[in-house]
Amino acid sequence: MAFQQALSGLNTAGKAIDVTSHNIANSSTVGYKASVAHFSDVYARSLNGSGANQVGIGVNLSGIAQQFTQGNITTTNNPLDISINGNGFFRMEKGGELTYTRSGQFHLDKNGYIVNDQNMRLTGYPSVNGSIVPATPTAIQVSASDIPPVATGTNPSSDFHGIRANLSLDSRESAPAMPWVDGGATGTWAPNPETYNWSTGLDVYDTLGNPHRLTLYFVKGDNPSEWGVFANVDGTTNARVALTGGASVNVGGVPVQGVTFDTNGKLTSGTAPTNMSVSIDLDGVMTDLGSVNSAGNPLAFDLDFLGTTQTGKKFGNNRLEQDGYAAGSLTSLGVGTDGTILGNYSNGESFALGQVVLANFTNPNGLRSQGNNQWIVTSESGPPLLGAPESGNLGLLSASTVEESNVDLTQELVNLITNQRNYQANAQSVKTQDQIMQTLVNLR
């Protein structure tokens, strides 16, 4: 019987060495999870008696379990290298077959799909006009098409429409020595610096994405809490702006109503609302607000002075922004911690192109390894539980990083020595049993 026990010990010790050697071989494999051999003893079944005096008949390999502990995170130069910090697996698709992996070494194929080295496609939630749509995950494809221009005041994805100006006006200023003269009325736009106190400006965009320089001029009124606001576009003849709705209306160069501030220096509402509709005719003809033709003429947008103050400090822009932009080409990609894939464009805009989804399992050890760091679902693993990174108990993502193998090389080398000793000890059992058998043979 000792031969059988020793042979089972040799067999399991050899398999343990195989498991350890496999771990050592994959100590530098991205996303690899170390395996551990589990053993159990074997006893002969008895039909009678308590079995209290049973002698075991050896050992067997009861299972090989992978350790899904976190591996170290290291940086790379590839923006599409993605690591998972926490629970979850990437969901991959190829030819209709779904697999799951912790290896996040990705790149773009010729069709713009995000794939791994085996050309399996990374799946996630699609994007519609820059907005993520949580639906059935599909292969994430990055479009190389230019994004079309958006005229100032017409951006549907912006939280404001037009221009948002949070300014700091100097309450110490006095009314200019010379009255403001509307240059449009005289055929030239060369404002005399002695007719206004301060000016600022930014580019606005027409429907074709052409930039136009909008300059705002601020004129201190005779009333200490009142300012007149005037503007021009591109410094061209007769390019005038009408700030309607009660702020400052440019009628022949005369401010009908100014921008009023309360005693605390804040822009007030009522007679001086914070939002004004602006209509600019680039050809010098004032038109109805909102009538925009294919040439992007006129420009039409709102001007928001919310938060503007008048205090005893120098003029300044706390915030001056607008919601339009020119056409843009894709220049780079980025991945957020929540899995959102951002496309960065040459016009300075960024848009969500998709969102990586993660899958988690009730029993990850029930997954079946397919090689290449890929696992498939089994009845033992349970169905995949899908969600966006950072949601539920799913981990977060990190771009330009990879998760290293979680193999502890020092521990594996110790395991290798231990398993070798076990093998040698079982071989010694065979040798001992052989000597006993030889003794019996010699009894004649």
Side-chain angles (χ1 to χ4, degrees):
M1 182 179 291
F3 278 126
Q4 181 179 347
Q5 296 163 335
L7 286 174
S8 68
L10 289 171
N11 184 42
T12 53
K15 290 180 179 178
I17 291 174
D18 289 341
V19 171
T20 302
S21 298
H22 185 65
N23 289 339
I24 293 173
N26 286 280
S27 60
S28 297
T29 301
V30 170
Y32 176 79
K33 298 303 178 184
S35 299
V36 176
H38 291 176
F39 306 108
S40 61
D41 53 1
V42 179
Y43 284 84
R45 294 183 179 179
S46 175
L47 296 178
N48 53 26
S50 66
N53 296 321
Q54 278 187 305
V55 176
I57 59 174
V59 63
N60 69 359
L61 183 68
S62 59
I64 298 176
Q66 290 195 294
Q67 308 299 299
F68 289 97
T69 56
Q70 181 72 42
N72 292 329
I73 303 298
T74 58
T75 59
T76 71
N77 293 322
N78 178 15
L80 289 181
D81 280 346
I82 309 171
S83 65
I84 303 173
N85 191 348
N87 296 324
F89 296 79
F90 296 111
R91 182 179 183 270
M92 311 299 296
E93 183 272 331
K94 184 176 183 181
E97 180 182 4
L98 296 177
T99 59
Y100 303 87
T101 184
R102 291 281 298 193
S103 176
Q105 293 177 303
F106 301 119
H107 60 274
L108 294 179
D109 68 6
K110 64 180 181 180
N111 296 314
Y113 288 100
I114 300 178
V115 299
N116 62 9
D117 292 337
Q118 290 75 43
N119 285 321
M120 296 178 177
R121 293 174 177 176
L122 179 65
T123 65
Y125 297 137
S127 171
V128 178
N129 297 325
S131 298
I132 301 299
V133 180
T136 301
T138 59
I140 300 175
Q141 185 177 26
V142 175
S143 173
S145 300
D146 291 351
I147 57 172
V150 170
T152 299
T154 65
N155 190 338
S157 61
S158 175
D159 60 349
F160 70 100
H161 300 291
I163 294 176
R164 186 156 55 184
N166 183 319
L167 310 174
S168 176
L169 302 179
D170 192 343
S171 63
R172 299 168 297 182
E173 290 285 310
S174 302
M178 299 177 60
W180 175 270
V181 177
D182 182 5
T186 62
T188 180
W189 255 112
N192 187 335
E194 295 184 6
T195 65
Y196 62 91
N197 299 86
W198 183 61
S199 67
T200 187
L202 78 169
D203 287 338
V204 293
Y205 295 87
D206 61 28
T207 56
L208 300 181
N210 299 311
H212 301 277
R213 188 66 180 177
L214 172 68
T215 304
L216 299 173
Y217 299 90
F218 294 86
V219 179
K220 186 67 176 289
D222 293 333
N223 184 333
S225 63
E226 185 176 271
W227 290 82
V229 183
F230 303 89
N232 71 11
V233 176
D234 294 336
T236 58
T237 300
N238 277 340
R240 299 184 296 178
V241 59
L243 304 181
T244 62
S248 177
V249 181
N250 185 345
V251 180
V254 180
V256 176
Q257 185 173 349
V259 179
T260 304
F261 296 83
D262 63 18
T263 56
N264 295 321
K266 294 184 178 180
L267 188 68
T268 61
S269 57
T271 58
T274 57
N275 290 292
M276 288 74 72
S277 297
V278 178
S279 180
I280 301 173
D281 185 348
L282 302 181
D283 295 326
V285 180
M286 197 65 69
T287 62
D288 293 334
L289 181 66
S291 57
V292 181
N293 59 30
S294 60
N297 185 15
L299 298 171
F301 49 83
D302 291 336
L303 180 60
D304 183 356
F305 282 119
L306 185 63
T308 294
T309 60
Q310 177 186 232
T311 59
K313 60 180 292 188
K314 292 183 179 180
F315 292 106
N317 293 324
N318 300 322
R319 173 179 290 177
L320 187 60
E321 56 185 344
Q322 56 84 43
D323 65 341
Y325 51 82
S329 301
L330 183 66
T331 58
S332 63
L333 294 173
V335 182
T337 57
D338 65 347
T340 301
I341 298 175
L342 292 177
N344 301 311
Y345 292 84
S346 57
N347 58 4
E349 296 297 314
S350 297
F351 288 92
L353 305 179
Q355 184 179 27
V356 179
V357 298
L358 297 181
N360 203 10
F361 298 89
T362 304
N363 176 26
N365 271 305
L367 296 170
R368 181 182 301 163
S369 178
Q370 298 295 100
N372 291 317
N373 284 339
Q374 303 293 319
W375 288 275
I376 61 173
V377 176
T378 70
S379 59
E380 295 296 323
S381 67
L385 307 174
L386 302 179
E390 294 186 302
S391 66
N393 64 344
L394 295 172
L396 56 86
L397 303 186
S398 178
S400 297
T401 63
V402 293
E403 181 188 6
E404 294 181 345
S405 166
N406 66 350
V407 171
D408 184 341
L409 197 54
T410 301
Q411 182 62 52
E412 296 301 328
L413 292 175
V414 172
N415 291 342
L416 191 63
I417 295 172
T418 302
N419 292 329
Q420 181 185 14
R421 293 301 185 194
N422 289 340
Y423 195 93
Q424 290 173 336
N426 281 282
Q428 188 65 34
S429 294
V430 174
K431 182 178 179 181
T432 301
Q433 184 65 22
D434 177 61
Q435 291 173 345
I436 293 173
M437 293 295 293
Q438 185 64 41
T439 301
L440 291 175
V441 172
N442 293 333
L443 293 174
R444 56 178 178 160

